[in-house]
Amino acid sequence: MRGLLGIFLTTLLLIYILAILLIKIPLFEIKRVEVHGIMDKELKILEKEIHSLGRQLLFISEDVFLERINEIFMNRFKDIEIKRSFSTEGTIISINFYRRKAIAKVIKKNISTLLDNEGVIFYDENQNPLRTVYVRSKNQFETNKSKIIKLVNFAEKILVYKDKTEVYLKNKRIILPPLDYLSERKLILLKKFSLDNEKAKEVDMRYERIILLR
């Protein structure tokens, strides 16, 4: 029994010594970190995070690093790619950042964030999309996210109220039912309906079988 314990302790000691030796080998020293897809204003913040990770950057997974970065940058990056080039002179790490592309601004109680085509809310001061969605609450947005994305792909401005939804396009106001009651059929009709009639500045589509032109 004592012999087995001695062998076990000796093995642990050898593993510890080997780990120390490996860490001191230049192969496990970071020679340089290259980053792509980062703006100048973001670089200082990123440098601080990379410095805090130290040698962990040699082994950290892309998913874990992306999660850490998005906590700092408010979810603005959709994906990252980490490439490591090991050599006896040290390791070169190359990180590619892929940012989310905003399709619209989402404004809630004067707070502006961004929306991508997957329905993800994020913040990125480097993007300023022309399309805008005004919502009353986070829950209102989350429960009707897919409908809002479809409307964004069609309209320039969307105002979400409790009792109706207003869509603006080409100087026209289109009034739709509340998002909770906005059917897929109505969304399809909205896309097919011609807005070229210059006489009508307002189109009311809240009713089942009647479209009012004003």
Side-chain angles (χ1 to χ4, degrees):
M1 189 69 178
R2 289 182 179 177
L4 289 173
L5 181 60
I7 293 171
F8 176 71
L9 292 175
T10 301
T11 303
L12 283 180
L13 181 61
L14 289 172
I15 291 172
Y16 175 76
I17 293 171
L18 180 61
I20 294 297
L21 290 174
L22 285 174
I23 289 173
K24 291 186 176 182
I25 294 175
L27 182 70
F28 294 96
E29 294 284 347
I30 298 176
K31 181 180 180 180
R32 186 170 70 249
V33 178
E34 300 172 352
V35 295
H36 309 272
I38 290 293
M39 302 296 184
D40 290 341
K41 290 181 180 179
E42 299 165 337
L43 188 57
K44 287 185 178 181
I45 302 171
L46 181 62
E47 283 179 338
K48 185 177 180 181
E49 178 63 15
I50 288 175
H51 180 73
S52 69
L53 281 169
R55 288 184 179 176
Q56 291 182 59
L57 200 60
L58 290 167
F59 312 104
I60 194 168
S61 70
E62 291 174 344
D63 290 342
V64 171
F65 187 64
L66 177 61
E67 185 177 350
R68 287 184 64 145
I69 292 300
N70 271 335
E71 284 180 3
I72 299 169
F73 289 105
M74 298 179 70
N75 214 25
R76 72 182 57 179
F77 297 107
K78 184 176 182 179
D79 200 7
I80 61 166
E81 181 184 23
I82 302 176
K83 295 179 181 179
R84 300 174 177 93
S85 178
F86 296 94
S87 73
T88 54
E89 296 179 354
T91 300
I92 297 173
I93 299 175
S94 178
I95 309 174
N96 293 308
F97 291 82
Y98 303 98
R99 63 182 66 238
R100 299 186 185 280
K101 186 177 179 180
I103 60 172
K105 287 179 280 191
V106 177
I107 298 177
K108 177 178 68 71
K109 296 180 180 178
N110 296 323
I111 298 174
S112 180
T113 53
L114 299 175
L115 171 70
D116 74 358
N117 59 9
E118 294 179 347
V120 177
I121 290 292
F122 65 103
Y123 177 78
D124 188 345
E125 69 276 8
N126 301 294
Q127 299 187 54
N128 186 29
L130 297 176
R131 299 175 187 265
T132 309
V133 181
Y134 295 85
V135 295
R136 294 166 60 87
S137 67
K138 181 180 179 181
N139 182 64
Q140 187 184 51
F141 172 82
E142 290 295 335
T143 54
N144 295 286
K145 193 187 309 185
S146 61
K147 295 177 184 177
I148 289 174
I149 292 173
K150 289 177 181 178
L151 288 175
V152 164
N153 290 327
F154 173 81
E156 297 164 356
K157 184 169 68 172
I158 301 164
L159 283 74
V160 180
Y161 298 101
K162 187 176 181 181
D163 60 340
K164 63 180 177 180
T165 306
E166 291 185 3
V167 170
Y168 290 83
L169 176 66
K170 296 180 180 177
N171 297 320
K172 293 186 187 296
R173 182 171 73 137
I174 306 168
I175 307 173
L176 297 166
L179 284 181
D180 291 338
Y181 302 100
L182 183 58
S183 64
E184 190 67 28
R185 176 181 170 276
K186 191 75 73 173
L187 286 168
I188 294 172
L189 181 62
L190 179 63
K191 288 183 179 181
K192 291 182 176 180
F193 187 77
S194 174
L195 298 174
D196 294 333
N197 189 336
E198 293 296 332
K199 294 180 181 179
K201 296 299 181 184
E202 183 175 280
V203 181
D204 196 335
M205 300 178 67
R206 286 177 290 181
Y207 310 102
E208 186 63 28
R209 298 181 181 275
I210 298 174
I211 297 176
L212 298 178
L213 302 178
R214 303 184 181 98

